[in-house]
Amino acid sequence: MGKPASIFVCQSCGSVHGKWAGRCDACGEWNVLVEEIPSQNQPRKTGRRKSRGIDFVGLSGDAVDPPRLSTGIEELNRVTGGGLVPGSALLIGGDPGIGKSTLLLQMAGHMARSGLKTAYISGEEATAQVKRRARRLGLIDAPVNLAAETALGPILDGLMAEKPDIIIIDSIQTMWTDQLGAAPGTVAQVRACSQELTRYAKKTGACMLLVGHVTKDGQIAGPRVVEHMVDAVLYFEGDRAGQFRILRAHKNRFGPTDEIGVFEMGTTGLTEVENPSALFLDGRGEAASGAAVFAGLEGTRPLLTEIQALVAPAAFGTPRRAVVGWDSGRLAMVLAVLEARCGVSFGGKDVYLNVAGGLKISEPAADLAVAAALVSSVFDTPLPADCVVFGEISLSGDVRQASRTDARLKEASKLGFKRAIAAAIVAPASETKRRGNKKLVHQAEQLPILEISTLPDLVSRVQAMKDG
Ligand code: TYD
Ligand code: MG
């Protein structure tokens, strides 16, 4: 007996294994198992006092919307569903250096100036570093309570004494509690600290914002385990080398999850981008083959982006399929439909697909834009520069109408586009006449649609553009 046996904890999903393996059986991630010595004194089972039981209520009655605290940053309010909810915990994840600390310090500054008691606890940087950033952001006069600390005990005591309304923990990976034997940054510590901090927020009604680093190789304890505990999860995306940053809600108990916030990183921090379509289309030159402008929707907001495709003869071996910003499975499907239904062959050709600006698109309506970019590249024929494309493709090669066509057309028209390639609006036979008339009126107000009902229609249109 004596020494307790080691356990191996997956740093990605948190599952516990008896022995080391290269791959976690539970989540399938590689190189994520880390040895931990279970501590002799397991964490006390807190909150196990004798209780009176629970009170049940019915489903009727008023469901009041939770109150919201404005973050002072419109794009952040949008992503959170209208602002921060008191008594909730929120995780902000993203690659190191993407701008999490910058955004939260800016938010802390705004909220403190609006009279809310705000605490910023930095576990990564010394107070001097945070102050230097505050000076750069023009926030030195904002009454933010700043501390550099990583030990959970003193932090909770300090919070209990100060009772801030807004608490920022930067980052959760640096926090540790002496109740556990595990090293800081391990899943056990991350989980225990998140749990304590989340419980503190629920108990006191404070807003708790946890910063979590995600690395692609999963070396640092993934904040995945934290996702289940918090009320909302926001992720920062974007190309770190470029200046655009996209904040996206992946989970939100108090709001929608499909909204995005768009920011631009400049010399004085993150600024909000009010018209993201213009930004994502910025720098588009002459119409080139292989490019199609996709009229997409991100939450409630229409967003135009350029989809670029390059189809080139494969130099040797297996042709490459490389995708940035879109789903590779979806690309394989579009390629297969183009081959099977339209006779466009991609065998022996490399296919590259890129969504401009570092945006990640998950909407099925992008299918048609991807197909248009691919066909345009294959025929080496540019699509009209004043044209947007959208529509979902089915395996049979049919093109289906995308949701909220009018919002997409309106945004395209606002940005100076003159036409759209999209699905024909199909109505049941009995309604065709009435709907058909209505459609004409409706389109006259917006953009004319070059109707495509099947993928072969698209291919023959692009072919016709090439020929004349
Ligand atoms: P930071 O917020 O520290 O990232 P994270 O907390 O996600 O690790 O942002 C770091 C990057 O942002 C760094 O490369 C410097 C850059 N930056 C600016 O370009 N402008 C600014 O005003 C600030 C504060 C940072
Ligand atoms: Mg940081």
Side-chain angles (χ1 to χ4, degrees):
M1 296 291 107
K3 183 167 163 266
S6 296
I7 52 169
F8 296 86
V9 181
C10 171
Q11 304 296 295
S12 177
C13 70
S15 60
V16 178
H17 303 257
K19 60 180 197 296
W20 190 86
R23 182 166 181 263
C24 171
D25 285 340
C27 67
E29 288 286 324
W30 288 91
N31 278 332
V32 284
L33 296 197
V34 167
E35 182 175 8
E36 281 178 18
I37 314 284
S39 69
Q40 303 295 98
N41 49 340
Q42 285 300 314
R44 280 174 290 118
K45 289 214 165 54
T46 44
R48 271 304 183 87
R49 262 168 265 126
K50 205 168 162 74
S51 71
R52 287 181 297 110
I54 50 173
D55 295 328
F56 289 100
V57 295
L59 295 177
S60 63
D62 286 343
V64 258
D65 280 337
R68 300 278 184 174
L69 301 175
S70 169
T71 59
I73 301 174
E74 225 14 79
E75 294 288 304
L76 185 54
N77 285 347
R78 182 205 306 281
V79 181
T80 51
L84 304 182
V85 177
S88 72
L90 200 146
L91 173 72
I92 300 207
D95 295 341
I98 195 116
K100 301 178 294 295
S101 304
T102 306
L103 179 70
L104 291 178
L105 190 59
Q106 282 180 285
M107 186 203 80
H110 287 300
M111 296 188 93
R113 278 180 182 158
S114 75
L116 291 161
K117 203 163 193 183
T118 308
Y120 189 108
I121 297 164
S122 176
E124 296 191 343
E125 294 163 304
T127 49
Q129 267 173 300
V130 182
K131 283 182 186 170
R132 208 170 310 133
R133 182 178 298 131
R135 185 171 320 125
R136 190 169 174 187
L137 301 172
L139 293 170
I140 30 173
D141 61 325
V144 176
N145 294 305
L146 178 64
E149 182 57 74
T150 57
L152 191 67
I155 290 176
L156 286 174
D157 292 342
L159 294 177
M160 229 81 91
E162 275 292 318
K163 298 209 168 33
D165 304 305
I166 312 295
I167 302 156
I168 294 153
I169 303 285
D170 188 0
S171 65
I172 191 65
Q173 272 103 1
T174 54
M175 298 294 140
W176 62 278
T177 165
D178 54 12
Q179 307 254 313
L180 290 182
T186 53
V187 160
Q189 284 285 5
V190 170
R191 186 171 28 201
C193 293
S194 312
Q195 211 153 32
E196 283 295 319
L197 289 164
T198 308
R199 191 182 303 148
Y200 174 88
K202 302 259 146 86
K203 205 169 65 192
T204 60
C207 299
M208 182 70 69
L209 293 107
L210 308 175
V211 173
H213 292 304
V214 201
T215 55
K216 298 216 168 61
D217 53 350
Q219 283 305 311
I220 307 176
R224 286 283 134 79
V225 287
V226 187
E227 285 183 359
H228 309 296
M229 293 178 213
V230 295
D231 299 297
V233 178
L234 311 182
Y235 272 104
F236 244 130
E237 297 169 4
D239 176 7
R240 202 151 52 111
Q243 72 267 46
F244 315 131
R245 301 286 188 274
I246 295 143
L247 192 63
R248 196 188 288 273
H250 282 237
K251 157 179 172 176
N252 194 347
R253 288 190 183 140
F254 304 112
T257 52
D258 48 5
E259 294 288 357
I260 62 166
V262 185
F263 299 90
E264 193 171 353
M265 181 65 94
T267 48
T268 54
L270 290 157
T271 43
E272 301 172 59
V273 175
E274 268 151 35
N275 191 344
S277 296
L279 181 135
F280 285 113
L281 293 179
D282 194 28
R284 242 168 72 82
E286 288 290 291
S289 69
V293 177
F294 168 51
L297 271 184
E298 289 291 343
T300 54
R301 221 162 25 159
L303 184 60
L304 268 51
T305 31
E306 188 180 72
I307 295 189
Q308 303 157 352
L310 178 64
V311 180
F316 46 76
T318 321
R320 291 200 61 182
R321 304 282 184 254
V323 191
V324 179
W326 207 50
D327 181 39
S328 55
R330 204 90 200 164
L331 173 67
M333 188 201 89
V334 173
L335 291 176
V337 177
L338 278 169
E339 291 224 26
R341 312 284 173 191
C342 314
V344 182
S345 168
F346 294 93
K349 289 185 183 145
D350 287 341
V351 177
Y352 302 92
L353 191 82
N354 178 40
V355 178
L359 191 72
K360 287 198 185 84
I361 297 180
S362 55
E363 243 197 313
D367 292 353
L368 193 62
V370 169
L374 289 167
V375 173
S376 158
S377 178
V378 169
F379 291 129
D380 194 18
T381 303
L383 299 171
D386 59 356
C387 182
V388 295
V389 191
F390 58 92
E392 187 178 340
I393 296 172
S394 70
L395 288 177
S396 62
D398 290 336
V399 177
R400 297 201 195 118
Q401 205 189 324
S403 60
R404 298 190 49 215
T405 300
D406 49 340
R408 298 172 199 262
L409 293 177
K410 207 185 249 169
E411 177 79 359
S413 149
K414 211 165 77 188
L415 284 150
F417 288 86
K418 295 282 181 282
R419 49 197 153 153
I421 297 179
I425 301 168
V426 208
S430 59
E431 272 190 61
T432 309
K433 224 172 171 184
R434 192 168 55 82
R435 284 276 290 274
N437 290 342
K438 217 181 194 177
K439 190 180 72 191
L440 285 179
V441 177
H442 171 78
Q443 279 176 26
E445 294 170 344
Q446 303 193 330
L447 291 187
I449 297 184
L450 307 176
E451 289 184 353
I452 302 274
S453 55
T454 64
L455 208 46
D457 284 354
L458 175 79
V459 175
S460 49
R461 268 182 194 269
V462 179
Q463 184 96 57
M465 285 175 205
K466 184 186 171 76
D467 298 339

